Amino acid sequence: MNPARRVAFDVLRAVDESDAYANLLLPQELRRAGLSSADAALATELTYGTLRRRGTYDAIIEHASGRSVDAIDPPVRDALRLGVHQLLATRVASHAAVNESVELVRRSGAANAAGFANAVLRRIARDNPGDWLQRVADAARSDDERLGLRYAHPVWVIRAFRRALAAEGRADELEELLAADNVSPAVTMTALPGLADIPADAARTPYSPVGFRLGGGDPEPLVRAAGGRVRVQDEGSQLAALALARVRPVRAGERWLDLCAAPGGKTAVLAAEALAGDARVEANELSPARAKLVRTSVAGVPLDVPVSEEDGRVRAGRGVYDRILVDAPCTGLGALRRRPEARWRKTPADVPDLSDLQRGLLTAAVDALAPDGVVAYVTCSPHLAETAAVVADLRRTRDDLVELDARAVLRSVSRGELDLPDQQDGSGRAQLWPHRHGTDAMSITLLQKR
Ligand SMILES: C[S@@+](CC[C@H](N)C(=O)[O-])C[C@H]1O[C@@H](n2cnc3c(N)ncnc32)[C@H](O)[C@@H]1O
């Protein structure tokens, strides 16, 4: 058995059985198995590809087997998904894809299902990917379901994306967005402003003035050598932190708070900017385990950043602040490129509770602002219920807030020209997108206290 398939299968099982996150578990498993770089690349492709396209593969398995995937033993189902991915989306030879998947079924203790798995995969191997897609699409009940099968996204996510794009008059970009979610993003790095330099030979990021791209390879040695002053960070996250730090010149003695800080990527950028402007930064994170990550994250910045471990809805009111970042817990629908299983794990039922929490955090933050203070409300989701609606609800209930033009602020921060169309609700919100900007789909709103 090829070790790459074994590792991919083990990660698929952990994602299914214990809600593991593939992007965190896979690197550990690759190290543990000591795979060559070629096998590690294969294992990564198999794991990510299978998890991303799960919905489509399940529809194909149901068609070929005549059974609901819910009625198939979970280890057998994962071996089938892995097999279908190899048959329909890779250049792995059919016999190897079938035989090794059947072997995984045997080794997982389901030897009695080996014949079933063999028959289903042989059936799928007989036709090409286009025919299978057509066959399951023909059975779809709506255009959105067809899009969902084609691009492997749940229908509710497709609808949320369409509404968010339509809110800026760009609903016609939907398919580009769905396609972009199925491509692993290039690794982008931040050189903390004033503390590290962008390597002279590195390709700069098009928008963030503190970002660059690695040619390839493992970024860890570079991060370690720079004492944490160079770090992996999505370009959209860099821009979100800079939007708050550079919304206006920093006055010495300003007090800043990062209310939902872990793992602390944006805290580090804020701390570096605060250090240069002689401001102070505090951070907060509800989860004590995750608060440790924030402390590690700011360790490379020579500024004392106290990190509290409280519910942000209470914590914000313990001080008065000139700038507050509310990088709220959210569905994460803007980061589907990096979390391959996430699209199948979240449900529409998650949204109302998150919106309530987001409203609570944002309200506590604006209450804690000094006069003229600014809150950046940021989500890594473009879902309007988590972005525009949260801000609109808050603004309806109070008249002490002015919304700043976040798009103009981002343009002033950006190196290159940013395509940020007006929001049709007239708000100043900025929405970044994977297909348009190559970033996660971060939403950024800036509110100032009168
Ligand atoms: C989107 S993440 C923040 C990412 C971070 N700003 C960064 O750039 O690295 C949201 C964080 O909020 C935390 N969180 C969830 N509920 C919270 C609450 N009620 N108060 C404070 N933090 C909370 C989560 O544990 C999570 O670490």
Side-chain angles (χ1 to χ4, degrees):
M1 157 99 12
N2 176 310
R5 290 195 183 87
R6 180 83 241 175
V7 166
F9 181 69
D10 289 346
V11 175
L12 296 184
R13 292 304 304 128
V15 167
D16 190 60
E17 268 185 316
S18 38
D19 284 346
Y21 295 98
N23 63 328
L24 302 182
L25 181 61
L26 181 64
Q28 290 170 24
E29 291 295 307
L30 293 177
R31 262 194 303 276
R32 207 165 56 94
L35 295 192
S36 67
S37 57
D39 275 341
L42 176 62
T44 304
E45 203 289 318
L46 294 180
T47 309
Y48 271 55
T50 306
L51 287 171
R52 273 197 196 112
R53 296 202 160 265
R54 196 189 89 183
T56 308
Y57 294 160
D58 282 359
I60 292 172
I61 291 167
E62 290 189 339
H63 201 286
S65 68
R67 278 196 212 172
S68 156
V69 284
D70 295 335
I72 300 175
D73 256 4
V76 178
R77 190 172 60 198
D78 275 335
L80 287 174
R81 289 169 174 160
L82 192 56
V84 177
H85 177 64
Q86 292 170 76
L87 288 171
L88 301 186
T90 72
R91 272 179 289 189
V92 172
S94 300
H95 65 272
V98 174
N99 293 347
E100 298 241 329
S101 302
V102 171
E103 183 58 22
L104 283 171
V105 168
R106 276 205 194 90
R107 287 197 193 187
S108 69
N112 56 347
F116 164 74
N118 188 45
V120 172
L121 289 173
R122 279 184 193 287
R123 168 111 209 262
I124 293 170
R126 277 207 297 269
D127 295 324
N128 66 44
D131 290 343
W132 276 111
L133 205 53
Q134 192 58 51
R135 206 166 286 157
V136 291
D138 286 346
R141 285 159 300 185
S142 68
D143 288 346
D144 283 349
E145 217 175 283
R146 252 183 299 282
L147 267 185
L149 287 162
R150 172 136 189 243
Y151 293 102
H153 280 66
V155 168
W156 76 276
V157 174
I158 289 182
R159 293 191 176 140
F161 284 174
R162 183 186 290 110
R163 279 194 286 268
L165 285 165
E168 49 183 35
R170 297 284 186 92
D172 57 337
E173 293 179 6
L174 179 61
E175 290 196 46
E176 265 180 86
L177 167 61
L178 299 176
D181 270 350
N182 290 334
V183 181
S184 292
V187 176
T188 52
M189 315 283 295
T190 303
L192 289 182
L195 297 174
D197 294 320
I198 294 175
D201 56 346
R204 305 275 308 256
T205 44
Y207 309 116
S208 169
V210 299
F212 65 95
R213 294 226 165 93
L214 272 192
D218 184 0
E220 259 327 290
L222 182 59
V223 174
R224 259 199 307 278
R229 295 173 177 197
V230 167
R231 46 206 308 121
V232 175
Q233 189 174 40
D234 175 65
E235 191 180 2
S237 290
Q238 300 174 27
L239 290 170
L242 291 177
L244 181 63
R246 299 187 179 176
V247 60
R248 64 176 180 223
V250 183
R251 287 187 302 264
E254 277 191 22
R255 297 144 299 177
W256 297 6
L257 172 64
D258 186 352
L259 193 58
C260 310
K266 296 186 190 73
T267 324
V269 174
L270 290 177
E273 292 272 305
L275 181 67
D278 210 6
R280 285 175 287 163
V281 182
E282 297 165 27
N284 178 69
E285 163 58 44
L286 178 65
S287 149
R290 289 175 61 74
K292 289 199 184 102
L293 302 176
V294 182
R295 294 187 188 100
T296 307
S297 179
V298 294
V301 183
L303 181 76
D304 180 33
V305 179
V307 183
S308 54
E309 300 170 2
E310 291 182 59
D311 188 318
R313 290 168 290 189
V314 177
R315 167 64 179 80
R318 294 197 195 287
V320 177
Y321 299 94
D322 301 293
R323 305 187 198 210
I324 303 180
L325 173 62
V326 181
D327 189 14
C330 69
T331 53
L333 294 184
L336 298 184
R337 300 179 302 167
R338 21 186 122 252
R339 301 187 197 127
E341 71 284 348
R343 67 190 72 177
W344 309 112
R345 196 171 267 169
K346 294 285 175 203
T347 74
D350 296 323
V351 177
D353 285 353
L354 282 166
S355 310
D356 280 349
L357 177 56
Q358 290 155 353
R359 264 190 294 274
L361 288 163
L362 181 57
T363 304
V366 297
D367 283 341
L369 280 181
D372 286 334
V374 177
V375 161
Y377 174 66
V378 176
T379 57
C380 187
S381 165
H383 196 308
L384 293 176
E386 302 183 85
T387 60
V390 168
V391 176
D393 284 354
L394 177 75
R395 296 202 60 209
R396 255 194 298 280
T397 62
R398 48 201 304 163
D399 55 10
D400 59 344
L401 297 172
V402 181
E403 182 169 7
L404 305 179
D405 185 346
R407 295 187 296 279
V409 173
L410 281 181
R411 285 196 191 100
S412 71
V413 163
S414 176
R415 296 179 63 232
E417 199 175 316
L418 265 172
D419 179 9
L420 293 170
D422 290 352
Q423 295 290 328
Q424 296 189 340
D425 64 1
S427 74
R429 190 168 70 86
Q431 179 65 62
L432 298 170
W433 293 104
H435 64 287
R436 207 189 296 153
H437 307 106
T439 64
D440 289 345
M442 316 279 308
S443 165
I444 301 156
T445 295
L446 297 170
L447 297 172
Q448 184 170 23
K449 188 108 158 226
R450 278 190 221 275

